[in-house]
Amino acid sequence: MNPYDSRTGDLFDQAVTQRQIQPLVAGAVVLRQFATDQAAELVSGIDRVQSQAPFRQMETPGGFTMSAAMTNCGPLGWVSDRTGYRYQPTDPQSGQPWPPMPEPFRQLANAAASTAGFDGFEPDACLINRYLPGAKMSLHQDRNERDFDQPIVSVSLGLPVLFQFGGLRRNDRPQRILLEHGDVVVWGGPARLRYHGVLALKPGHHPLTGGCRYNLTLRRAV
Ligand code: MD3
Ligand code: FE
């Protein structure tokens, strides 16, 4: 229900514009503030995961070190090294299975996908990216998953960042949008293989995450 002032007749859409659905391009929707209420729980989940599988900067097949630090939870984790990109059930640093996916991650991803029109989304992989000031992610496609009919759900926590998404070809000029704490984006259908990335994080302070931005990327890998 919209808050309503019976004296003036005003509808306070302030309160609802907080949480709103913004279609971005065909197949992609931004759910503004969709994760705000659960954010503290999500950050606790990240803390638990990183105590078992610490954040690390992975190497690309081309020999560069990624500027974002990463870890994973759930049955499968995304890894990169000199031999390529892949999903695997164990953390290469410990040889142990990735930590379990916290239930709030799974529930949020399922609810967000469903809000965007993808019912029954059951992620089996959650990549957690941690950006410190200066860290970025160059334009790329997510194509290490088996079934491109499955959407990807991305959750932004902490400091804001300029996200960029292009078309299906690397050279298509990217558009930029600001992704803020609590925003969730669902990418599916014709948007699933769009090029995307994030610009370098600007320094700042967020009450829940301190000086960093986290992004949860929930996927169905197999
Ligand atoms: C558009 N992460 O981990 S999430 C990644 O903010 C990644 O950490 C970024 O791209 C981040 O692969 C962006 C938004 C996102 C995720 C998947 C997509 C956008 C996407 C898949 C297809 C198109
Ligand atoms: Fe990506």
Side-chain angles (χ1 to χ4, degrees):
M1 275 289 270
N2 287 347
Y4 177 71
D5 185 321
S6 60
R7 187 183 60 83
T8 62
D10 285 345
L11 278 172
F12 296 102
D13 32 66
Q14 270 307 69
V16 285
T17 51
Q18 304 287 92
R19 228 173 176 262
Q20 58 174 214
I21 305 187
Q22 300 179 336
L24 203 57
V25 285
V29 207
V30 189
L31 306 175
R32 295 287 182 194
Q33 305 301 312
F34 194 84
T36 311
D37 294 349
Q38 301 98 297
E41 243 184 313
L42 298 174
V43 172
S44 306
I46 294 172
D47 285 340
R48 188 153 49 80
V49 170
Q50 71 164 315
S51 70
Q52 298 164 57
F55 281 106
R56 80 294 307 263
Q57 287 174 267
M58 297 186 193
E59 210 180 340
T60 67
F64 295 99
T65 300
M66 296 177 129
S67 59
M70 301 177 176
T71 185
N72 290 277
C73 58
L76 290 168
W78 184 88
V79 298
S80 174
D81 61 21
R82 289 309 296 263
T83 70
Y85 308 119
R86 65 191 171 277
Y87 284 94
Q88 63 174 55
T90 53
D91 179 347
Q93 259 173 23
S94 65
Q96 293 301 116
W98 295 107
M101 191 182 304
E103 189 57 21
F105 289 23
R106 197 200 61 75
Q107 274 181 17
L108 178 72
N110 186 271
S114 160
T115 301
F118 298 93
D119 275 332
F121 179 57
E122 293 298 341
D124 58 10
C126 177
L127 172 67
I128 310 175
N129 296 330
R130 185 189 66 196
Y131 297 82
L132 294 172
K136 64 184 170 62
M137 192 174 286
S138 312
L139 279 183
H140 66 278
Q141 291 175 299
D142 286 19
R143 48 185 318 146
N144 301 124
E145 302 74 31
R146 202 158 287 167
D147 180 2
F148 298 146
D149 290 340
Q150 295 278 339
I152 292 182
V153 175
S154 133
V155 183
S156 292
L157 295 167
L159 293 177
V161 78
L162 274 175
F163 171 78
Q164 49 177 1
F165 66 96
L168 299 179
R169 289 171 311 186
R170 185 178 289 283
N171 289 332
D172 294 338
R173 177 191 294 276
Q175 292 178 249
R176 291 175 179 185
I177 58 163
L178 189 70
L179 289 182
E180 295 178 284
H181 178 73
D183 290 346
V184 176
V185 192
V186 182
W187 303 85
R192 177 64 181 73
L193 289 172
R194 279 182 179 263
Y195 277 87
H196 58 277
V198 304
L199 300 185
L201 190 80
K202 301 265 194 273
H205 181 267
H206 188 279
L208 209 58
T209 66
C212 78
R213 168 182 187 256
Y214 295 114
N215 182 263
L216 309 179
T217 307
L218 293 120
R219 306 186 176 100
R220 184 83 203 176
V222 299

